[in-house]
Amino acid sequence: MTDTQKSATLTLDGESYELPIFSPTAGPDVVDIRKLYAQAGVFTYDPGFTSTASCDSTITYIDGDKGELLHRGYPIDQLAGKSHYLEVCYLLLYGELPTAAQLEDFEVRVTRHTMVHEQMHNFFRGFRRDAHPMATLVGVVGAMSAFYHDSLDVTDPWQREVAAVRLIAKLPTIAAMAYKYSIGQPFVYPRNDLDYAANFLHMCFSVPAEEYHVNPILSRAMDRILTLHADHEQNASTSTVRLASSSGANPFACIAAGIACLWGPAHGGANQACLEMLKEIGTVDRIPEYIERAKDKNDPFRLMGFGHRVYKNTDPRAKVLKQSADEVLELLGVENNPLLQVAKELEQTALNDPYFIEKKLFPNVDFYSGIILEAMGFPTSMFTPIFALSRTVGWISQWKEMIADPQNKIGRPRQLYLGETMRDYTDIEQR
Ligand code: CMC
């Protein structure tokens, strides 16, 4: 953050207040209002944080108008095309691409932590079989703080490191266990000879009764889904993790808070909601009806998988995933899948519709990830848990950055109070 020597002047009741302006390395300047209340006695009002930078960060940069997403400066399409998930995890966590030796060391550290405490198996059995895997995930990740006491002290950098590696390593195992539990199959232990994505597919789809070979095209597509969801700067769940951890809460509790936030259909839940919407539409001839509903202000229906708070041109993640979706569908021979036909037709209709053009509503990453995961054989209820396991590294990187920042203080937004002013209590007989 550079002091630009520029400032903004706020005039209020005849008094002027100089507000410093900072320049980021990329993106718009920010007006520093930290002293505004102390000096002028007013708050700013910005529900939904549409114009407010809640922190400074060096991890991820998004230019929504250009459709650009950079992790530590590297464009997401280059990372998705040339790198792989664990290398991107390293980049997000430590700031630079690893050397071969650093990557090997990191992979060993992660794979050493892939198993969960055996007693956790009993914990799973407390859930109903029909529990949504996200419900299980929130509970079990939160419960990690009851199992891993040696990585709870957030003031100790070594413990923070161990917690980070544990979460990255165990989330696939926990997500796969939530899935296996929901379908009544035995838990499958991780295999450290497989890469991160292949191991996850193995834990989800293998059974003790027969050999399971992970198809490299599918594990590559899974790796891409993970890579493309790894971080997305200060979105709702990441901000939730930051806010939760600003109080000094332990990392497992904070990540559980992030998972809870991600679950909502306006955020990570959109991939499930998108697939359910495609199924509800069912056939291509019903698309116009749903497009009209999406445009109707009196109808709460929205086209799931379309639109984004930040991307107002194109979602660069969606571009990469569209290609993966084509590869996976070709491999699995489901080009004639009616769901996909609806998806393709819907995409074209919306892209050419004046309402969607004018409001800059494009297919987002969830539109294509849902299609790929469906083709791989995942039930829709597993879509958001997969998003959660990939985003865990982003949450942890942002959490680590925040804890190490000497300026870190508890998050405490203000409000515009519109309720009653002080009034006297009325006894119940007089109400
Ligand atoms: N279908 C129809 N109309 C829409 C849609 C949509 N999917 N998205 C936005 N609009 C309209 C909205 O009604 C509003 O119209 P008006 O200006 O007439 O009031 C205008 O576009 C702007 O929308 P907004 O709600 O003010 O925009 P936002 O930035 O607050 O919302 C969003 C962003 C992603 C929540 C929203 O586009 C949406 O609900 N999309 C569907 C859910 C979805 O796919 N979410 C996944 C986001 S990507 C994954 C992730 O990062 O979690």
Side-chain angles (χ1 to χ4, degrees):
M1 175 161 81
T2 338
D3 192 338
T4 55
Q5 310 293 327
K6 285 193 285 181
S7 65
T9 308
L10 176 76
T11 307
L12 203 70
D13 297 332
E15 291 278 340
S16 286
Y17 303 93
E18 289 299 304
L19 303 170
I21 294 183
F22 295 121
S23 266
T25 49
D29 286 350
V30 297
V31 181
D32 177 3
I33 56 158
R34 281 175 295 178
K35 297 204 176 105
L36 184 64
Y37 177 59
Q39 290 174 348
V42 291
F43 297 145
T44 55
Y45 181 59
D46 186 17
F49 296 95
T50 51
S51 300
T52 297
S54 59
C55 62
D56 50 80
S57 180
T58 60
I59 301 173
T60 293
Y61 173 71
I62 300 172
D63 185 325
D65 293 323
K66 284 198 214 149
E68 192 172 82
L69 167 60
L70 312 177
H71 292 320
R72 305 287 191 183
Y74 296 103
I76 191 64
D77 53 333
Q78 289 185 24
L79 293 173
K82 297 182 180 176
S83 182
H84 58 88
Y85 183 67
L86 272 190
E87 187 177 65
V88 172
C89 288
Y90 186 100
L91 175 68
L92 290 169
L93 281 169
Y94 307 114
E96 294 295 339
L97 287 169
T99 61
Q102 286 168 330
L103 182 61
E104 194 187 332
D105 171 67
F106 181 62
E107 285 176 345
V108 169
R109 280 195 287 138
V110 170
T111 46
R112 203 175 277 158
H113 284 284
T114 48
M115 292 205 307
V116 295
H117 194 293
E118 196 64 14
Q119 214 179 323
M120 272 194 143
H121 291 216
N122 303 333
F123 198 81
F124 271 86
R125 296 186 211 288
F127 288 95
R128 279 173 53 141
R129 291 270 174 200
D130 59 357
H132 193 290
M134 280 300 273
T136 314
L137 213 58
V138 175
V140 174
V141 172
M144 283 174 81
S145 51
F147 284 86
Y148 302 106
H149 297 138
D150 58 349
S151 48
L152 296 181
D153 180 358
V154 297
T155 63
D156 176 349
W158 186 82
Q159 294 201 31
R160 295 206 293 269
E161 181 63 25
V162 175
V165 170
R166 276 197 171 126
L167 279 156
I168 293 165
K170 292 185 201 309
L171 251 289
T173 313
I174 294 172
M177 287 170 81
Y179 172 51
K180 285 298 197 188
Y181 184 74
S182 73
I183 55 171
Q185 287 186 4
F187 298 137
V188 175
Y189 286 100
R191 266 187 48 191
N192 291 348
D193 60 318
L194 297 175
D195 67 40
Y196 194 88
N199 175 47
F200 177 61
L201 291 175
H202 157 77
M203 288 189 292
C204 288
F205 294 123
S206 75
V207 289
E210 59 190 50
E211 283 271 304
Y212 173 78
H213 295 287
V214 183
N215 184 307
I217 293 185
L218 298 188
S219 62
R220 177 80 193 128
M222 176 54 75
D223 191 277
R224 272 201 172 164
I225 290 180
L226 300 179
T227 302
L228 292 170
H229 286 85
D231 190 48
H232 214 224
E233 53 118 305
Q234 310 312 320
N235 56 83
S237 56
T238 302
S239 300
T240 301
V241 171
R242 279 186 177 259
L243 198 57
S245 60
S246 75
S247 72
N250 78 67
F252 305 109
C254 296
I255 300 302
I259 296 172
C261 176
L262 187 78
W263 196 353
H267 193 7
N271 49 16
Q272 170 169 355
C274 174
L275 241 283
E276 281 163 0
M277 174 194 76
L278 294 177
K279 283 181 182 159
E280 189 186 314
I281 297 175
T283 48
V284 169
D285 57 304
R286 296 187 63 203
I287 289 174
E289 177 197 333
Y290 281 82
I291 293 275
E292 285 317 306
R293 283 189 59 196
K295 295 196 277 191
D296 182 355
K297 283 278 146 263
N298 300 316
D299 189 331
F301 174 78
R302 280 184 169 198
L303 274 196
M304 288 293 136
F306 279 78
H308 199 274
R309 166 60 62 82
V310 180
Y311 296 123
K312 297 299 177 197
N313 186 344
T314 178
D315 181 341
R317 305 166 300 171
K319 265 203 220 161
V320 180
L321 262 200
K322 183 175 162 56
Q323 192 194 339
S324 275
D326 291 342
E327 278 170 26
V328 167
L329 293 164
E330 196 187 318
L331 171 82
L332 299 176
V334 282
E335 313 87 306
N336 297 325
N337 178 331
L339 209 67
L340 183 73
Q341 285 174 352
V342 172
K344 281 193 165 158
E345 190 63 32
L346 182 68
E347 178 197 21
Q348 285 316 311
T349 313
L351 286 175
N352 292 312
D353 188 290
Y355 172 94
F356 290 87
I357 295 170
E358 187 201 311
K359 293 193 186 301
K360 300 187 172 176
L361 300 169
F362 293 84
N364 58 47
V365 67
D366 288 328
F367 187 73
Y368 299 107
S369 66
I371 294 166
I372 296 176
L373 295 173
E374 159 90 10
M376 282 180 175
F378 282 104
T380 50
S381 60
M382 273 304 286
F383 292 5
T384 320
I386 291 168
F387 190 161
L389 89 84
S390 41
R391 182 56 57 83
T392 295
V393 69
W395 292 328
I396 294 170
S397 305
Q398 304 265 351
W399 166 77
K400 281 183 80 193
E401 179 179 68
M402 180 180 149
I403 305 263
D405 181 354
Q407 289 199 59
N408 175 25
K409 48 165 72 177
I410 188 163
R412 180 37 173 108
R414 300 297 192 148
Q415 64 171 4
L416 167 64
Y417 178 69
L418 297 173
E420 298 288 347
T421 52
M422 194 195 286
R423 51 183 171 166
D424 286 328
Y425 178 83
T426 327
D427 291 331
I428 198 158
E429 339 38 90
Q430 277 142 29
R431 284 176 223 159

